[in-house]
Amino acid sequence: MRQGKLTRLKNHLVPHSRNPNWLGPDIQHPLIQMLENRQTDLRDSVEFPSGPGYDDIRLISSDRIVFNFHRWPLMYMSPVFRDMFEIGNPGGGVGGGSDNNSQSVTLSEDSGTLSLILQFIDPKKENPPLDFTILPKFLEAGRKYQIDETNEWVTRWLNGSGPMATSAKFNTQQAIELLEAGTTFDVPRLSQLALRVLIRAPSHELFVPGLTGSKLFGHLMKLRTERIDWFRRALTGFLSDKSAVNLRYVGNTTVRILDRSYRDDGAYRNLCIAILNIMHAVSLEPSHAFCMRSWSNDLDSIDYPAEVQNKKKALQENCQSLELELPILP
């Protein structure tokens, strides 16, 4: 019977393990202790515990979760797994190595990614809903193991998920990762969802290497400029009833108002200054939420007429509708 790696290591490092007459002290090499501990920190996954039909192969994730699976679906869906198993060395190096058991394979994917891949492959399970936080790793694993259907599945899910995908919320960093995944793995809908978030993100969160190096960064800047211009036009409309009012932007912060009512009407003067401040705010973060937050800070304490309130309501509705639209790709 072939000896396991741990047994062979003991025979090499510990003299009394191969000499029954050894009378010296019981030596425990630190490397052996480390490997023994590593073999006992494994936990079965919830989705694929050990059981009939799922005990042919043990896939171990990078965070030490064991997925009990059958090799044949893996071989059918992935030429990488097929080559690995046909060679007869399950730990032959796809993302890791083998454990002491010859039927175990250690992979570089974490348990969340591996679980999603296996649920997609397993014919007995329905395809689970995709998690945007795992999606880039899922697409990367699909390419790594040459499972071509993963891209098709993601595209169908995004196109068919309706309001869920449309209203999906994720932060700027997640959007940057999704944009990179969409361009790298050719999933246009994913790029659109990411761009929709990045268009309205704070400016200081955008100039990071993961985004500025993207092929779509220039297009993103163009879309943000268009969104800022939209806000400026909409906000200028609050003052359009004063025909003599002339707004001039100097570094997004200066306004010139040539109207006697500006000097004589304190409420109108405060309105003009507040609108200017909001324009400056949305030039840094062109989003509905930030616009309304700036409005509350600058205008809610002002006694402005009912028509201004009506225009504010229209602005909110138009802005919310605009932010639900998926941007056009170049």
Side-chain angles (χ1 to χ4, degrees):
M1 181 180 296
R2 186 176 64 180
Q3 290 179 319
K5 287 184 177 180
L6 186 56
T7 302
R8 294 197 300 273
L9 183 63
K10 283 184 176 180
N11 289 340
H12 178 71
L13 295 176
V14 184
H16 70 271
S17 65
R18 62 178 183 274
N19 183 358
N21 298 320
W22 172 259
L23 300 177
D26 187 10
I27 301 174
Q28 178 68 295
H29 195 282
L31 183 57
I32 293 176
Q33 185 63 50
M34 181 188 72
L35 290 175
E36 287 180 340
N37 292 340
R38 185 165 175 79
Q39 287 199 335
T40 59
D41 68 351
L42 298 175
R43 293 179 290 117
D44 272 349
S45 73
V46 176
E47 297 85 359
F48 296 96
S50 180
Y54 287 96
D55 53 5
D56 180 50
I57 195 76
R58 299 169 76 237
L59 302 176
I60 304 174
S61 66
S62 61
D63 47 350
R64 308 299 289 165
I65 304 299
V66 178
F67 293 82
N68 299 276
F69 208 69
H70 199 287
R71 69 181 63 204
W72 296 114
L74 292 171
M75 295 173 68
Y76 176 76
M77 294 293 290
S78 165
V80 174
F81 281 116
R82 182 172 63 247
D83 291 345
M84 185 196 311
F85 297 144
E86 286 180 349
I87 290 172
N89 179 15
V94 180
S98 64
D99 274 52
N100 196 30
N101 188 335
S102 63
Q103 299 301 308
S104 297
V105 183
T106 301
L107 303 174
S108 63
E109 285 72 32
D110 60 35
S111 55
T113 306
L114 191 53
S115 174
L116 200 59
I117 284 284
L118 295 180
Q119 289 182 72
F120 170 67
I121 291 176
D122 189 354
K124 294 182 180 180
K125 294 185 180 295
E126 294 184 4
N127 289 342
L130 286 176
D131 184 342
F132 279 103
T133 61
I134 301 176
L135 201 49
K137 294 180 181 179
F138 174 78
L139 289 167
E140 182 179 0
R143 173 173 290 187
K144 173 182 174 181
Y145 298 113
Q146 298 178 26
I147 307 173
D148 297 334
E149 291 80 3
T150 53
N151 273 39
E152 299 173 8
W153 180 36
V154 170
T155 300
R156 287 199 306 271
W157 180 77
L158 291 174
N159 290 336
S161 56
M164 197 288 300
T166 302
S167 61
K169 296 180 180 179
F170 28 82
N171 60 36
T172 303
Q173 182 56 42
Q174 290 171 330
I176 292 172
E177 294 172 0
L178 292 174
L179 181 65
E180 178 66 19
T183 54
T184 301
F185 303 109
D186 192 23
V187 185
R189 183 63 176 269
L190 190 58
S191 298
Q192 289 179 296
L193 288 170
L195 282 173
R196 186 176 63 184
V197 173
L198 295 173
I199 287 173
R200 59 179 186 260
S203 297
H204 69 272
E205 295 181 0
L206 298 181
F207 293 90
V208 294
L211 182 58
T212 54
S214 170
K215 293 184 290 187
L216 289 177
F217 182 71
H219 184 60
L220 169 61
M221 292 297 100
K222 176 177 177 291
L223 293 173
R224 280 179 66 88
T225 299
E226 293 173 354
R227 182 64 55 84
I228 291 170
D229 289 343
W230 182 91
F231 270 108
R232 284 177 174 171
R233 290 192 300 271
L235 290 167
T236 303
F238 283 86
L239 310 176
S240 61
D241 58 319
K242 302 289 184 177
S243 59
V245 172
N246 176 27
L247 296 182
R248 190 176 70 179
Y249 310 103
V250 180
N252 296 326
T253 59
T254 302
V255 62
R256 175 180 295 176
I257 304 177
L258 305 175
D259 193 309
R260 177 174 296 179
S261 61
Y262 173 76
R263 298 190 300 271
D264 299 340
D265 187 340
Y268 182 67
R269 179 171 62 250
N270 291 336
L271 174 64
C272 292
I273 294 173
I275 290 293
L276 174 66
N277 290 336
I278 297 172
M279 286 181 181
H280 175 62
V282 297
S283 71
L284 301 176
E285 184 179 335
S287 69
H288 165 261
F290 196 60
C291 178
M292 290 301 106
R293 189 157 64 246
S294 301
W295 183 288
S296 298
N297 293 337
D298 288 303
L299 279 176
D300 278 355
S301 60
I302 298 175
D303 184 20
Y304 48 82
E307 65 175 301
V308 174
Q309 180 65 31
N310 294 334
K311 288 182 179 180
K312 176 188 175 184
K313 183 178 179 181
L315 172 66
Q316 287 180 294
E317 293 174 351
N318 293 336
C319 188
Q320 288 173 330
S321 298
L322 184 65
E323 289 189 351
L324 287 176
E325 295 178 4
L326 289 174
I328 299 174
L329 294 176

